[in-house]
Amino acid sequence: MSILNFKIIDETDDYIVVDKPAFLLTHPTKPDQRRTLWKELRELLAFEIANGGQVSIVNRLDRETSGLVLIAKTSAAARRFGLLMQQHRLHKEYLAIVRGWPEWETKIVDAPMDRQGKYQSSAIWLKQMIHSAGAPAMTKFRVEKRFTRSTATPSPAASPLPPRDRDRAERREDDGAGRITVQERNCASSENKFTLIRAIPKTGRTHQIRVHLALLGHPVVGDKIYGPNEKLYLEFIETGWTSKLEDKLLLPRHALHSAKLVIEDGQEWTTNLPEDLERFVERSDQAKPAQ
């Protein structure tokens, strides 16, 4: 069996919890030989599968998102975890590095979401947007740490960011076409300011945390779709990772990590920031803890 691309956090006869690295697909998306978490788990659990077991991934992560994934090893466990998800009794927490310093310590975003292409032209099929006709979506955010990084020397974490509107009064409004917008004062007024934020989604929409943070004016560092410009994603598809993209995105992947899974009245699993995101925070000029 080949070397595994993930770390095992916990395992029983019924389930396994792993720490998925960034860039590892959760499920196959094309009929090719690319490695995926699902394929590697099937290799790891070949004996269990041969004896009636299965690999059922409970919480899926995007390719660039790292962190905890819960996998059921039996049909009974899969049903149990599925029911817990339906009852909102399986809670998830993420850590995200975002641009700018929010003027709040905690924030709840309650803004429905849907696929952008359903309402307007979209060059990216999967791109999501805030829309009043979309599915309910709610996320709670809490500031963990504010910090700055020098932009004097080019590096994966020290490139100028696009200018932002300054001193904007916060407001939430419908633009008349069902699209909901939020504007917040001083969202990202200084290009070298960053914040480590804990995100607690109350619903599970596609790209929910990334969309809600972008809505607040604090997009996730490295986000090719909801960051500085969606054209960076299209450029990445054409050229792959380049120094030009590095200058604009700072990191080769979006800085989002599944850090905690909790079952009500049951188990709890946690994992620290991976090395790439920890290094981004540690190499800051200064850190300002949350109030």
Side-chain angles (χ1 to χ4, degrees):
M1 185 175 68
S2 60
I3 298 175
L4 299 176
N5 285 326
F6 56 83
K7 177 181 178 182
I8 298 174
I9 302 298
D10 188 21
E11 183 176 10
T12 71
D13 291 339
D14 295 323
Y15 65 80
I16 182 171
V17 179
V18 304
D19 190 350
K20 185 189 85 69
F23 305 114
L24 178 63
L25 283 168
T26 301
H27 281 94
T29 57
K30 298 179 181 179
D32 55 24
Q33 299 303 311
R34 284 190 295 177
R35 301 203 62 79
T36 68
L37 178 62
W38 185 80
K39 288 181 180 179
E40 294 196 0
L41 285 166
R42 289 187 63 83
E43 291 181 15
L44 176 67
L45 304 174
F47 177 80
E48 288 88 341
I49 292 172
N51 288 275
Q54 64 183 58
V55 172
S56 181
I57 295 177
V58 179
N59 64 306
R60 303 183 183 187
L61 298 181
D62 291 335
R63 174 178 171 270
E64 292 188 8
T65 303
S66 56
L68 296 174
V69 180
L70 172 63
I71 303 99
K73 296 166 61 176
T74 67
S75 58
R79 287 193 298 271
R80 172 176 172 251
F81 292 136
L83 183 60
L84 289 171
M85 291 278 282
Q86 291 178 15
Q87 297 172 340
H88 304 289
R89 294 177 57 199
L90 176 58
H91 305 292
K92 297 169 280 187
E93 295 186 11
Y94 294 76
L95 291 173
I97 301 173
V98 306
R99 300 173 185 263
W101 284 6
E103 294 192 335
W104 39 264
E105 297 304 318
T106 62
K107 173 77 75 173
I108 295 177
V109 176
D110 184 0
M113 293 173 49
D114 209 338
R115 190 173 62 83
Q116 180 171 281
K118 293 173 63 175
Y119 305 96
Q120 63 188 59
S121 176
S122 178
I124 303 172
W125 191 90
L126 194 59
K127 184 173 183 179
Q128 308 294 302
M129 68 181 300
I130 302 300
H131 199 284
S132 58
M138 179 183 294
T139 314
K140 180 178 180 180
F141 298 107
R142 183 174 75 238
V143 170
E144 296 283 317
K145 179 166 63 176
R146 298 175 177 86
F147 60 97
T148 61
R149 291 182 62 89
S150 172
T151 59
T153 303
S155 75
S159 301
L161 308 182
R164 303 284 183 176
D165 293 337
R166 288 170 167 78
D167 300 321
R168 293 184 294 175
E170 181 179 347
R171 67 179 184 271
R172 186 173 187 274
E173 60 185 20
D174 192 306
D175 69 354
R179 296 181 293 266
I180 298 173
T181 62
V182 167
Q183 291 184 323
E184 183 176 281
R185 187 174 179 270
N186 280 333
C187 287
S189 59
S190 182
E191 63 186 18
N192 66 339
K193 290 183 177 181
F194 302 91
T195 304
L196 178 65
I197 285 182
R198 185 170 296 272
I200 306 172
K202 301 300 182 181
T203 52
R205 310 304 171 203
T206 300
H207 300 171
Q208 177 175 314
I209 293 172
R210 295 159 60 194
V211 172
H212 280 177
L213 284 168
L215 179 69
L216 291 174
H218 297 286
V220 175
V221 171
D223 197 325
K224 302 175 183 69
I225 298 178
Y226 306 102
N229 192 323
E230 70 171 28
K231 291 181 180 179
L232 298 177
Y233 173 80
L234 301 174
E235 181 178 335
F236 172 74
I237 296 301
E238 291 292 329
T239 67
W241 188 245
T242 64
S243 58
K244 177 183 175 183
L245 289 172
E246 181 178 327
D247 288 342
K248 295 180 180 297
L249 292 167
L250 312 183
L251 284 174
R253 62 101 161 195
H254 56 243
L256 185 63
H257 179 69
S258 172
K260 188 174 184 178
L261 291 175
V262 180
I263 296 176
E264 284 186 9
D265 303 321
Q267 300 98 321
E268 176 179 314
W269 303 278
T270 60
T271 183
N272 296 326
L273 281 176
E275 182 179 351
D276 61 333
L277 303 188
E278 185 66 35
R279 186 167 58 246
F280 190 100
V281 177
E282 285 183 347
R283 292 182 179 176
S284 60
D285 300 322
Q286 64 179 6
K288 181 181 178 182
Q291 301 297 319

